[in-house]
Amino acid sequence: MRLLERMRKEWFMIGIVLAIAGAKLEPSIGVNGGPLMPEITVSYIAVATIFFNSGLSLNTEELTSALVHIKLHLFIQIFTLAFFPAAIWLLLQILSITPINEWLLKGLQTVGCMPPPVSSAVILTKAVGGNEGIVVTPLLLLLFLHSSSSVPFTSIFSQLFMTVVVPLIIGQIVQRYIKDWLERKKPPFGAVSSSVLLMIIYTTFCDTFSNPNIDLDRFSLILILFIICSIQLSFMLLTFIFSTRNNSGFTPADTVAVMFCSTHKSLTLGIPMLKIVFAGHEYLSLISVPLLIYHPVQILLGSVLVPTIRSWMVSRQKGVKLTRPTV
């Protein structure tokens, strides 16, 4: 299963490149008003499909088991949705004086506002009685980028409710009635969501490449890539130091969860949400670029660091067992 999941992620990253390349070759297909009619198929049908799929695939029992890890989940939520965006905002005050493309910098702020990956976000937010990712993220985007969104506040939340919350709830309800069939057949939920997400990415960049006024320099892209790698490594180190303090109350396994969940950002929730909050914005694709970079970087860094972190966790757990008094 792990091998299949890793292969799916690798193919998805290749799919992102192909989707952008396809948009570059023939942008007229996916632009607003084009044959794909993304103003309907993407803004409503595609986004709703992703979250209905998430509702079907989310193991309801995990919501109950998450209740025993309230402290861990609260730390992840506070770090992800409070400290992370605030720290990025402070960093951008410095970067704003550099020649980096201003829309990429705004995109970096949107990365900071994103919740953890959807499965983690739903589990831990349900455990504390709500869905902070769906509510807090748009609020953060409007707080930090209020002048960049032309969509009315009420329209944003009504569309989020109809295309994110409602399909997610319906998916959970349907799952209860076909649970045995789902466990027996094991539908490819990940592949379905990834395919729909690639369609959203494709149509987003079709709008970009059909606009001759948009120009992106390689210097800005390279710097953004370097900044993203630095942010992830720095924040992983910060969460590691905090969660391994003597009075933190976290186990070695908790530390691993904190390191990855606190620093990972959801592409599945992020891209549809940007499509809603910045609907019709001519620079939407540039705003999306940092999140599209952040996603493969977090997977690659995770793959590189997993063996080292696993060895550390095993050695610490053995150490804890050896120091326990015998009865």
Side-chain angles (χ1 to χ4, degrees):
M1 287 297 290
R2 286 183 180 178
L3 178 61
L4 289 174
E5 180 66 16
R6 187 169 63 186
M7 289 177 63
R8 186 181 69 81
K9 288 179 178 179
E10 289 174 353
W11 277 108
F12 179 64
M13 286 188 284
I14 295 171
I16 291 176
V17 175
L18 293 176
I20 296 173
K24 174 69 174 176
L25 290 173
E26 191 51 66
S28 61
I29 296 175
V31 295
N32 284 339
L36 283 181
M37 294 189 295
E39 62 273 17
I40 298 173
T41 57
V42 170
S43 298
Y44 293 94
I45 299 173
V47 176
T49 299
I50 286 177
F51 289 98
F52 174 73
N53 194 40
S54 295
L56 275 179
S57 60
L58 182 65
N59 188 344
T60 310
E61 282 72 18
E62 290 177 351
L63 302 178
T64 305
S65 65
L67 287 170
V68 300
H69 299 294
I70 287 291
K71 180 181 177 182
L72 173 67
H73 297 328
L74 283 177
F75 174 84
I76 292 170
Q77 287 291 69
I78 292 170
F79 187 94
T80 306
L81 297 174
F83 176 81
F84 206 125
I88 295 296
W89 182 83
L90 289 172
L91 175 63
L92 292 183
Q93 303 313 299
I94 300 172
L95 294 177
S96 62
I97 63 174
T98 68
I100 299 175
N101 185 287
E102 66 168 313
W103 296 104
L104 289 182
L105 292 180
K106 290 180 186 293
L108 200 57
Q109 184 66 72
T110 67
V111 171
C113 297
M114 291 300 153
V118 170
S119 55
S120 304
V122 174
I123 291 170
L124 53 90
T125 53
K126 285 283 187 180
V128 294
N131 200 326
E132 286 92 334
I134 293 171
V135 176
V136 175
T137 294
L139 288 174
L140 290 172
L141 289 172
L142 293 171
L143 173 65
F144 289 109
L145 300 166
H146 57 90
S147 61
S148 301
S149 176
S150 58
V151 183
F153 184 83
T154 52
S155 297
I156 290 172
F157 278 93
S158 61
Q159 189 170 347
L160 282 171
F161 181 77
M162 293 305 299
T163 59
V164 176
V165 179
V166 171
L168 191 64
I169 293 172
I170 293 175
Q172 279 283 279
I173 294 171
V174 172
Q175 186 206 65
R176 295 187 179 186
Y177 292 97
I178 60 171
K179 185 176 180 180
D180 292 338
W181 181 84
L182 291 173
E183 290 179 350
R184 189 169 63 252
K185 296 295 184 179
K186 299 188 184 303
F189 293 116
V192 172
S193 290
S194 295
S195 299
V196 176
L197 194 55
L198 288 175
M199 177 185 172
I200 296 175
I201 293 169
Y202 168 73
T203 57
T204 299
F205 278 86
C206 281
D207 286 332
T208 298
F209 294 127
S210 64
N211 187 342
N213 298 322
I214 295 179
D215 183 34
L216 179 59
D217 59 290
R218 294 180 182 178
F219 174 75
S220 292
L221 270 178
I222 293 171
L223 281 182
I224 287 293
L225 175 59
F226 174 77
I227 291 167
I228 285 174
C229 291
S230 300
I231 288 171
Q232 287 201 37
L233 288 172
S234 300
F235 282 6
M236 288 182 79
L237 178 61
L238 181 62
T239 53
F240 176 80
I241 292 171
F242 183 89
S243 60
T244 52
R245 295 184 307 165
N246 291 332
N247 60 346
S248 70
F250 291 128
T251 65
D254 290 340
T255 295
V256 175
V258 165
M259 287 177 64
F260 285 113
C261 291
S262 297
T263 57
H264 279 207
K265 295 293 184 176
S266 173
L267 185 68
T268 307
L269 180 59
I271 293 297
M273 194 168 289
L274 290 179
K275 194 79 174 177
I276 294 171
V277 175
F278 297 100
H281 200 293
E282 65 173 331
Y283 291 103
L284 172 59
S285 59
L286 296 190
I287 295 173
S288 306
V289 164
L291 184 58
L292 292 173
I293 294 175
Y294 197 97
H295 179 74
V297 168
Q298 70 187 12
I299 293 173
L300 292 173
L301 281 179
S303 301
V304 171
L305 294 175
V306 158
T308 302
I309 295 173
R310 185 188 293 121
S311 298
W312 170 85
M313 186 180 73
V314 170
S315 64
R316 282 294 298 268
Q317 287 175 333
K318 286 181 179 178
V320 170
K321 290 179 180 179
L322 290 174
T323 55
R324 286 178 180 169
T326 56
V327 179

